[in-house]
Amino acid sequence: MGALTGRFWEDVPLDRLDRAQWEALCDGCGKCCLHKLEDEDTGELIATNVACRLLDRRSGQCSNYRHRRAYVSECVRLTTSNVDSIDWLPSTCAYRLRANGEPLPDWHYLVSGDREAVHRAGESVRGWTISEDDAGDLEHHIVDREL
């Protein structure tokens, strides 16, 4: 296991991170677990406030991460080989930022040392989402937010 010390997210190339380091990049925003709609004409992704049933909307973490694919077959596993091609990742996603050679935001817990900073910065799903189990038609849950 690699060290989760120092500034590994800056010092270790993305494709050289071990599993613990890779998992530690997730800031717990939960935005990747929101349903998106796609405009049939333009291909544009449209944000909704509807979260995957497994998302703990308070913490921004999956409630059954280890077995999520058994319950949500379309759940995507991020890897170094696919992170560049997933266009629905949030613009603030640490995996996307690192793949593009950009720094993590100041509110990211690896930078700030505070897991609650993502929520205080308004960069998480906390407080404005609904579970897919309660939502109904996604078209009724379109939001004007950049994800």
Side-chain angles (χ1 to χ4, degrees), residues 7-126:
R7 295 180 73 86
F8 72 87
W9 61 94
E10 294 175 346
D11 301 335
V12 180
L14 197 59
D15 63 350
R16 304 280 317 259
L17 295 176
D18 67 24
R19 183 173 176 89
Q21 292 169 328
W22 178 265
E23 296 296 332
L25 279 181
C26 178
D27 60 27
C29 75
K31 292 188 279 187
C32 62
C33 299
L34 296 179
H35 289 277
K36 293 102 182 145
L37 298 173
E38 184 176 354
D39 184 296
E40 292 178 9
D41 298 325
T42 66
E44 176 188 7
L45 293 177
I46 302 165
T48 75
N49 69 339
V50 179
C52 170
R53 68 180 34 94
L54 294 180
L55 182 66
D56 177 328
R57 296 178 299 114
R58 175 140 180 80
S59 72
Q61 303 286 327
C62 183
S63 64
N64 196 346
Y65 185 73
R66 177 170 286 200
H67 300 107
R68 67 193 185 281
R69 303 253 352 241
Y71 299 99
V72 181
S73 60
E74 66 273 11
C75 185
V76 174
R77 180 174 180 241
L78 292 180
T79 66
T80 57
S81 59
N82 72 7
V83 71
D84 279 335
S85 64
I86 300 176
D87 59 355
W88 47 259
L89 284 175
S91 60
T92 57
C93 175
Y95 299 101
R96 170 178 269 187
L97 292 171
R98 280 296 316 278
N100 293 331
E102 298 175 42
L104 300 184
D106 290 342
W107 49 258
H108 192 290
Y109 84 95
L110 289 173
V111 177
S112 69
D114 181 2
R115 282 277 188 188
E116 288 295 308
V118 64
H119 306 297
R120 280 195 308 277
E123 293 294 339
S124 77
V125 300
R126 185 183 285 173

